[in-house]
Amino acid sequence: MVDFKSIRAIDIHTHAEEPCGLHADDGYDELQTTMAKYFRAPWAHPPTIPETAAHYRSMNIAAVIFPVDAERETGFRRYKNEEVAELCAQNSDILIPFASIDPHKGKLGAREARNLVEHHGVQGFKLHPTMQGFYPNDRLAYPLYEAIAESGKPALFHTGQTGVGAGMPGGNGMKLKYSNPMFIDDVAADFPDMNIILAHPSFPWQEEALAVATHKPNVYIDLSGWSPKYFPPILIRYANTVLKHKMLFGSDWPMIAPERWLTAFEDAEFKEEVRPLILKQNAMQLLGVTG
Ligand SMILES: [Zn+2]
């Protein structure tokens, strides 16, 4: 169990990229290295979950970590949720497992979600409309949302532009349109008891994301995937005012290291009293933990 009193911050957005048990499929390495170049990430191979745990432990920052189940859309087999959860259990002082299920799995996916919460300690779910190839308000995803809503755990959606496939022929087939946060407004309306996190400054739909989070009490925003140096002024203005209880620190590790994000955060124009909310308090509230 994470000691929430003594940790410095909670990083709500980190990725489990490298299955330990087996090497990833052909082509996956190319997707990874192209993306690392896009983000100027300083590694040749993505870190394993134990390496990620060690890194975060050394900084006294807890991390939510998840795989992305995009095997239907990309053809690359997924990193098993159970395996991620097991490695998180071995590093439960610092890692908090989220799971990822392609909504196209329908009722089977809903069953998997229930099982992961009941038996594997999963604390939330990651969805990636662009990598999974679906509109968030498509009814095909609703059996999965029903299971997530029932569990009381949050659903984190990628929004906006993505580094995945950027610069590859045809963007590796990834379609940006699915990640417009306005589609998630429908989900927030239909599942008012399910907490939702819109990941990233949602370029080119930043104002849409701010509107949805302002209008729907169950919608939060994570600030991952961008250095705070490049945050649009309107995002900082909302974080300092109406959305100060809705904004969450996230890095997007391993594409962006938390230390790089935090250094830029110090120089950005956030109000002093808002910083601890973003770094830790809002995430504790959302995860339903005390400390
Ligand atoms: Zn991400």
Side-chain angles (χ1 to χ4, degrees):
M1 182 69 186
V2 175
D3 179 358
F4 287 101
K5 199 190 244 66
S6 70
I7 49 147
R8 237 172 97 200
I10 300 169
D11 186 336
I12 201 84
H13 193 130
T14 77
H15 286 266
E17 299 282 7
E18 188 76 350
C20 302
L22 76 180
H23 189 72
D25 295 323
D26 292 347
Y28 186 73
D29 283 348
E30 195 194 341
L31 186 72
Q32 279 290 350
T33 38
T34 317
M35 191 161 49
K37 236 182 266 160
Y38 174 89
F39 281 101
R40 288 174 285 121
W43 38 260
H45 288 283
T48 62
I49 293 177
E51 285 164 359
T52 298
H55 187 74
Y56 276 82
R57 194 174 287 118
S58 74
M59 289 187 302
N60 195 28
I61 296 175
V64 166
I65 187 163
F66 40 74
V68 178
D69 173 3
E71 52 189 8
R72 191 199 64 92
E73 185 75 358
T74 64
F76 301 132
R77 72 180 159 242
R78 63 176 175 167
Y79 193 162
K80 285 202 178 66
N81 287 311
E82 291 84 354
E83 194 187 334
V84 172
E86 172 58 30
L87 289 164
C88 288
Q90 291 166 20
N91 293 279
S92 61
D93 61 311
I94 211 76
L95 297 183
I96 301 163
F98 275 23
S100 179
I101 298 167
D102 184 336
H104 290 90
K105 290 186 168 121
K107 288 182 183 170
L108 187 62
R111 278 182 64 195
E112 182 182 342
R114 291 189 177 98
N115 182 54
L116 287 165
V117 171
E118 275 169 41
H119 302 295
H120 297 273
V122 160
Q123 296 300 315
F125 292 85
K126 152 82 170 203
L127 294 118
H128 200 307
T130 291
M131 287 190 80
Q132 294 170 328
F134 76 108
Y135 285 105
N137 61 353
D138 190 322
R139 285 299 186 273
L140 77 81
Y142 277 43
L144 179 61
Y145 297 154
E146 280 160 18
I148 297 172
E150 235 174 72
S151 75
K153 307 295 183 195
L156 184 152
F157 287 81
H158 171 90
T159 67
Q161 152 81 332
T162 180
V164 180
M168 297 177 80
N172 204 43
M174 304 283 102
K175 313 216 167 80
L176 298 177
K177 65 180 178 187
Y178 295 125
S179 291
N180 185 329
M182 200 48 85
F183 299 121
I184 302 168
D185 186 60
D186 287 7
V187 182
D190 293 343
F191 295 90
D193 299 325
M194 178 170 78
N195 281 323
I196 292 173
I197 304 163
L198 306 176
H200 317 305
S202 314
F203 175 83
W205 304 292
Q206 180 63 81
E207 295 181 14
E208 281 87 336
L210 295 170
V212 175
T214 303
H215 191 256
K216 300 292 186 294
N218 53 329
V219 176
Y220 294 71
I221 289 177
D222 92 31
L223 299 171
S224 71
W226 288 43
S227 165
K229 211 197 306 190
Y230 304 116
F231 285 175
I234 194 170
L235 176 60
I236 298 180
R237 182 148 32 95
Y238 272 71
N240 278 334
T241 55
V242 280
L243 292 179
K244 70 175 161 200
H245 296 295
K246 296 286 204 78
M247 297 277 180
L248 308 158
F249 158 49
S251 63
D252 214 9
W253 166 272
M255 294 305 161
I256 295 182
E259 51 272 39
R260 177 176 154 202
W261 192 97
L262 288 167
T263 306
F265 181 63
E266 273 169 37
D267 297 333
E269 306 271 299
F270 291 95
K271 285 188 188 160
E272 280 318 306
E273 70 268 22
V274 165
R275 291 172 184 273
L277 300 176
I278 293 174
L279 290 176
K280 184 163 129 175
Q281 301 304 330
N282 293 346
M284 283 177 65
Q285 171 90 19
L286 180 66
L287 295 169
V289 296
T290 47

